[in-house]
Structures are given as C-alpha cells and as structure tokens.
Amino acid sequence: MIAVGVILLIIGFLTGISILWTIGIILTVVGAVLWILGSTGHAIAGRRHYW
C-alpha cells in the first residue's frame, strides 16, 4: 500500500493531476499507520499482520 501510494504521488506530481496526488497521500499515510500497528503487535481486522 505504501509503494502504490508513492507511485501515485510521483505520477500525480509529474503529470499535474491533483486527484492522483491526493490518493497517493492517503494511501501512503494509511499504509504507514497499518505498518506501525502491525509491527507493534496489534491485531488488525483479526490478523496479526495487515497483509
């Protein structure tokens, strides 16, 4: 999720499409939060890891 967010950020920046930039920021933030929660041992949606 973080990788897709970064890719969308880059594409949105290069092409000037603001919706890709916004979606990229959202995906990157959500991916980072899930990664942090998963690495601390919290169960997310009934799983130890979100992937």
Side-chain angles (χ1 to χ4, degrees), residues 5-47:
V6 170
I7 291 170
L8 287 176
L9 279 172
I10 293 170
I11 292 172
F13 179 74
L14 293 176
T15 61
I17 301 173
S18 62
I19 190 69
L20 291 179
W21 180 259
T22 305
I23 293 172
I25 290 173
I26 292 170
L27 285 178
T28 305
V29 169
V30 170
V33 168
L34 290 175
W35 179 32
I36 291 170
L37 287 176
S39 67
T40 59
H42 290 282
I44 301 168
R47 297 176 180 232

